[in-house]
Amino acid sequence: PIPGPGPAPDPSRVASVIGNLGSDLGNAFSGSFGFSLNLLNGDVTDAALRGSGSVTPFPRVGGAALPAGAFNVDLNGGRGWFSVNNFYINNFSGAATFNGTAVNGFGSSYMNGSIDAGDNVRVDAYGIINPNYIFDTGSGSGSMTR
């Protein structure tokens, strides 16, 4: 006999986390974040980081910053872990535009923070980074829905 499909994931074990982000560099950038959290094993999946505004990209290795310009970013597919109320997410994919020119390679972007007992989420740090530039870093807050 052919075995049937495995059991469906228990929806009560997956929480949704959403919130808002703001630049800590003085950039006129604002954004939002979201991810799914498996409360049973701590897996973080489907993380997204989106935003727009004006940023001044700083080179990752030497050189001068680029002049400030319009920046739109839509990162998704991030994954990571959650343990003892703390989370870390990276491995984002997606793309952005800076002054209307497509920019990619945002796998080094990250987000970390914590979730308290009241399901309040604090993003201690996020970074929107590609191999050449740091486009923005900052912090944020949100909430978790079980």
Side-chain angles (χ1 to χ4, degrees):
I2 298 172
D10 181 353
S12 67
R13 301 283 186 192
V14 178
S16 175
V17 177
I18 60 170
N20 296 304
L21 300 169
S23 177
D24 287 347
L25 296 178
N27 288 324
F29 176 86
S30 63
S32 63
F33 69 91
F35 58 89
S36 295
L37 171 59
N38 184 315
L39 298 170
L40 184 62
N41 64 16
D43 285 348
V44 173
T45 58
D46 303 323
L49 194 156
R50 297 179 172 96
S52 63
S54 178
V55 300
T56 302
F58 291 93
R60 290 186 71 182
V61 180
L66 295 177
F71 184 65
N72 293 293
V73 64
D74 185 1
L75 303 182
N76 51 58
R79 57 188 186 276
W81 53 263
F82 174 80
S83 178
V84 193
N85 299 335
N86 295 303
F87 63 86
Y88 181 81
I89 304 168
N90 63 358
N91 293 308
F92 286 96
S93 57
T97 59
F98 178 69
N99 281 337
T101 301
V103 183
N104 54 29
F106 287 95
S108 296
S109 296
Y110 66 91
M111 183 169 42
N112 64 56
S114 61
I115 302 173
D116 69 19
D119 293 340
N120 299 301
V121 178
R122 185 179 77 223
V123 174
D124 295 324
Y126 73 84
I128 303 173
I129 301 168
N130 80 353
N132 301 313
Y133 292 97
I134 298 169
F135 286 87
D136 195 47
T137 62
S139 55
S141 62
S143 61
M144 180 171 73
T145 305
R146 296 173 188 257

